[in-house]
Amino acid sequence: MKRTFSILLLILLVTYAKEGYELVTREAPVKCSVTGSLSDVADEVIAIPLETNTRCILSHAKQIKRDRDNLFLLSNGQLYHFNCSGKFINQITYSHPSYKNNILISDYVIDPVHQQLIVTDDRQNVHYYNYEGEFLGKINLSENHLCRSLGKLAYYDNHIWATVDRTIPREEYNNQLCVEQWLYKFDTTFHPVEARKLAAAELGRLTIGHMLEPEVAVANRQVYVLAPSLQPDLLLQDTLYLISQNKLNITDDYSSILPLRIGSRFLVSTHYNPNAEDKCYTFCYDRREDHAYNVQGGLDDNFYGTGRIPELQAMDVYSNSYCYSKSSEEVKQSFPDRKAGDNPVVFIVKLKA
């Protein structure tokens, strides 16, 4: 009898939660477009054709980051340095065994204060380089259990921030091991400074507890964590719910994992699946115009005519600049001088203010 009552109570609570969620998200009608172009959200797109030479032949470019006139990017697990005109400066890391310190990069951040690059590899090491590519030193993290499950890194306020998966026995589950998601603040030598336990943002409906591929971003000068939504069809409803409940006000102890990046005007969520580009999406909510774009496959590049943009990447923790890259084949219309096999063209997107 008690079990039956508990089940009926749960059903009742879920029903009320669903109705309340729909009521909140129904109050303010917002136009949502399932098609969209880059000009709908961007003021400016700068194209940077990367120089091609025998010392630098890239098949693709990702994790593109910038410090003033310095442009860094990863290709095939290695770090390269260009200037913002596309001129090749140097290759920072190497994977070939002939190099003493050969590595395969997991992630990296730019430390603009000391003009150095902090690089993690797939063997739990941290490597330090200056912008000229000179190796400055290495730290082994294998003895630090926190660093064995580092997520994506970010640099902010002279510190490194990272999400960490911690496996912890839970008494309420007979001491079974459960995975918890945490946000850690490290100094630049990966000594922990502070930490906070994370949980998926409450969206007024049932959601998955463990979020995939969380990233670190900054809003209101405070650090928060986001992860792409696995239910993009509900992103507009989720966004309106978060706004109505004032849950996008980031504080210094904010512990919810949001499904959105918070920019000065736009709330953005993107997901890239290299094995199924039709599963990629770009969601942008324009808070000024109360207009959402929820586009499967990515926005259309109507600045340079390169087609859909399945992988729109945030360039900085503030989420106001984004980037993407296209192969020499994809840019033929706007860059007829690019030859087959030339390095990609990088595009930097400045969102509307």
Side-chain angles (χ1 to χ4, degrees), residues 12-287:
L12 185 64
L13 289 173
V14 169
T15 302
Y16 276 117
K18 182 176 183 294
E19 289 179 355
Y21 173 71
E22 290 178 349
L23 179 63
V24 167
T25 57
R26 201 189 304 134
E27 283 181 352
V30 173
K31 184 177 180 182
C32 185
S33 302
V34 295
T35 60
S37 299
L38 204 49
S39 62
D40 292 323
V41 300
D43 265 336
E44 180 183 28
V45 179
I46 299 171
I48 305 176
L50 300 179
E51 177 188 351
T52 306
N53 59 45
T54 55
R55 296 180 298 148
C56 175
I57 300 177
L58 311 180
S59 57
H60 61 277
K62 64 178 185 176
Q63 290 178 252
I64 302 160
K65 301 177 183 181
R66 179 177 59 178
D67 177 28
R68 291 162 291 186
D69 193 46
N70 299 287
L71 191 71
F72 300 95
L73 56 89
L74 293 186
S75 184
N76 297 320
Q78 299 304 305
L79 182 57
Y80 295 86
H81 181 192
F82 294 80
N83 68 17
C84 286
S85 298
K87 178 178 174 55
F88 173 67
I89 306 299
N90 58 325
Q91 183 173 343
I92 304 291
T93 65
Y94 296 84
S95 60
H96 196 276
S98 62
Y99 289 89
K100 180 180 177 181
N101 193 42
N102 62 88
I103 64 172
L104 186 64
I105 293 179
S106 296
D107 203 357
Y108 79 100
V109 294
I110 299 173
D111 176 354
V113 175
H114 301 99
Q115 294 197 3
Q116 66 178 354
L117 301 153
I118 303 173
V119 178
T120 56
D121 68 15
D122 61 340
R123 292 173 286 189
Q124 296 178 5
N125 296 308
V126 181
H127 308 257
Y128 297 83
Y129 302 86
N130 62 22
Y131 288 4
E132 289 69 44
E134 296 172 334
F135 177 65
L136 304 177
K138 180 170 74 171
I139 298 174
N140 188 299
L141 300 177
S142 59
E143 295 183 0
N144 186 338
H145 68 281
L146 293 175
C147 298
R148 296 177 191 174
S149 58
L150 286 177
K152 294 182 179 179
L153 309 179
Y155 181 94
Y156 175 69
D157 191 27
N158 300 317
H159 288 82
I160 296 171
W161 301 74
T163 53
V164 174
D165 284 350
R166 292 177 55 181
T167 305
I168 296 175
R170 299 279 291 274
E171 289 184 8
E172 63 268 37
Y173 300 122
N174 297 322
N175 287 324
Q176 291 185 22
L177 294 177
C178 297
V179 177
E180 295 181 347
Q181 293 182 294
W182 287 69
L183 172 65
Y184 270 82
K185 178 182 180 180
F186 298 97
D187 65 19
T188 54
T189 58
F190 281 84
H191 290 109
V193 176
E194 62 181 66
R196 70 185 82 151
K197 185 180 175 182
L198 302 171
E202 193 274 310
L203 299 172
R205 60 181 178 84
L206 293 177
T207 56
I208 298 172
H210 190 87
M211 307 304 293
L212 301 178
E213 301 178 353
E215 300 179 50
V216 179
V218 173
N220 192 32
R221 297 185 179 179
Q222 304 294 342
V223 174
Y224 68 99
V225 175
L226 70 135
S229 174
L230 298 180
Q231 296 175 290
D233 291 345
L234 297 177
L235 268 170
L236 177 57
Q237 291 180 327
D238 291 344
T239 300
L240 296 178
Y241 181 84
L242 290 167
I243 292 172
S244 69
Q245 301 298 303
N246 197 29
K247 294 189 175 185
L248 298 181
N249 181 27
I250 308 301
T251 57
D252 61 359
D253 58 351
Y254 197 84
S255 60
S256 296
I257 304 177
L258 293 172
L260 302 155
R261 285 185 173 274
I262 304 171
S264 59
R265 175 171 170 176
F266 290 90
L267 303 173
V268 179
S269 180
T270 64
H271 177 64
Y272 175 64
N273 185 340
N275 299 315
E277 291 200 351
D278 60 323
K279 301 297 183 184
C280 305
Y281 71 81
T282 296
F283 173 85
C284 297
Y285 178 72
D286 187 340
R287 290 190 282 185

Side-chain angles (χ1 to χ4, degrees), residues 289 292 334:
E289 301 293 335
S334 297

